[in-house]
Amino acid sequence: MTATYKVTVALDFANLADAKTLVSQLNPEYCNLKVGKELFTTTGPAFIEYLHNKNFKVFLDLKFHDIPTTVKKACEAASQLGVWMLNVHASGGSHMLEAALEGTSRAKQPPLLIAVTVLTSMDQKTLEEVGVSRKIEDQVLRLAKLTEQSGLQGIVCSAKDLDFLKNQFNPSFLFVTPGIRTAGDVANDQVRTMTPLEAIKAGSNHLVIGRPITQSKDPSKTLEKIYLEINQD
Ligand code: C5P
């Protein structure tokens, strides 16, 4: 039996009303939802509960990065909200990553814990600014390996990086990929994009898609179209 892929829709909204309007048009059979820093800071745990009551699974995208004890406690608190997926920055190092895992493992149903390696907004020059002189791809690989060795379940990365990353990891290691655009979409600020089906074929486990769905004329129809595209045999 082949896997059924759901889309993870990024709810990048500044306020509750706009987020709720979009959510009312989405089917939890076809998608999970990603709540990031802006929306969570505005709406808090109550909105996560609202989404759970509507049968959506939630990826809480807060990218924790702090001293190990603080990250452990933040991950424990986030896990108690019952979220499906949670993330931290791999550049916090192995002690921080292991502490994060300890925090999530205290929940009844621990969320998947994944790590951000190098932010896709960073280029070679920005990496040099923070004291890293090796090539971006090498830094992504190094941090992805650190993530796997620390026991986390996967990483966020560009689908374009899957060809050099995927076969270097255990098959159960998850690759969560933003930067997805269908043929007719505008790229917005994404530079290295792939279509939903290309990304799945390259080995992505979860596609994160924001504006192509949230800004489309008919979000419900657009989501259904993408869902059918990635689940065709
Ligand atoms: O609207 P769009 O499809 O570009 O949204 C992509 C989502 O994925 C946004 O919430 C963005 O913050 C997030 N993301 C990303 N690149 C990363 C990590 C997260 O675009 N490396």
Side-chain angles (χ1 to χ4, degrees):
M1 206 183 93
T2 51
T4 302
Y5 295 99
K6 280 190 185 184
V7 174
T8 299
V9 178
L11 295 181
D12 293 323
F13 292 102
N15 67 71
L16 187 60
D18 289 348
K20 282 187 171 175
T21 301
L22 193 272
V23 169
S24 71
Q25 300 170 71
L26 302 177
N27 182 346
E29 294 292 319
Y30 296 158
C31 69
N32 303 318
L33 301 175
K34 181 171 88 67
V35 175
K37 288 187 173 89
E38 183 183 26
L39 191 57
F40 189 71
T41 303
T42 312
T43 62
F47 184 59
I48 305 296
E49 197 181 341
Y50 171 88
L51 298 177
H52 284 156
N53 288 336
K54 295 197 167 297
N55 296 320
F56 288 99
K57 293 202 289 183
V58 177
F59 170 15
L60 191 56
D61 179 17
L62 299 181
K63 299 186 184 71
F64 294 132
H65 188 181
D66 210 313
I67 60 170
T69 305
T70 302
V71 169
K72 178 169 80 183
K73 289 182 177 165
C75 286
E76 190 176 346
S79 302
Q80 279 161 6
L81 302 178
V83 296
W84 155 68
M85 185 181 276
L86 186 63
N87 60 0
V88 295
H89 271 281
S91 50
S94 63
H95 288 160
M96 193 207 82
L97 293 171
E98 285 160 14
L101 200 57
E102 205 185 316
T104 58
S105 67
R106 293 184 178 181
K108 255 197 230 139
Q109 266 200 307
L112 295 170
L113 183 62
I114 60 166
V116 176
T117 57
V118 178
L119 290 168
T120 47
S121 55
M122 293 184 90
D123 57 12
Q124 200 67 50
K125 190 164 163 272
T126 328
L127 210 55
E128 268 160 34
E129 273 174 7
V130 296
V132 179
S133 52
R134 72 171 62 83
K135 276 174 46 191
I136 288 191
E137 293 75 29
D138 295 340
Q139 181 69 356
V140 168
L141 181 60
R142 185 186 182 122
L143 291 174
K145 281 283 168 198
L146 187 69
T147 302
E148 188 180 46
Q149 283 153 14
S150 302
L152 278 70
Q153 283 85 23
I155 57 163
V156 182
C157 68
S158 162
K160 293 273 186 195
D161 292 338
L162 289 170
D163 63 341
F164 84 92
L165 283 176
K166 186 80 183 177
N167 61 7
Q168 306 198 56
F169 291 82
N170 192 304
S172 62
F173 197 64
L174 299 174
F175 294 87
V176 178
T177 60
I180 305 297
R181 292 293 181 267
T182 57
D185 289 336
V186 280
N188 309 111
D189 49 358
Q190 299 285 8
V191 183
R192 302 167 68 223
T193 65
M194 266 191 166
T195 71
L197 190 59
E198 279 169 354
I200 290 293
K201 285 187 171 162
S204 173
N205 300 96
H206 296 287
L207 308 178
V208 174
I209 308 181
R211 289 160 289 185
I213 292 173
T214 60
Q215 309 294 316
S216 84
K217 279 204 189 101
D218 187 341
S220 163
K221 216 185 244 171
T222 306
L223 170 63
E224 185 178 349
K225 201 169 154 227
I226 295 172
Y227 177 85
L228 293 175
E229 178 189 333
I230 59 179
N231 287 296
Q232 64 180 252
D233 283 321

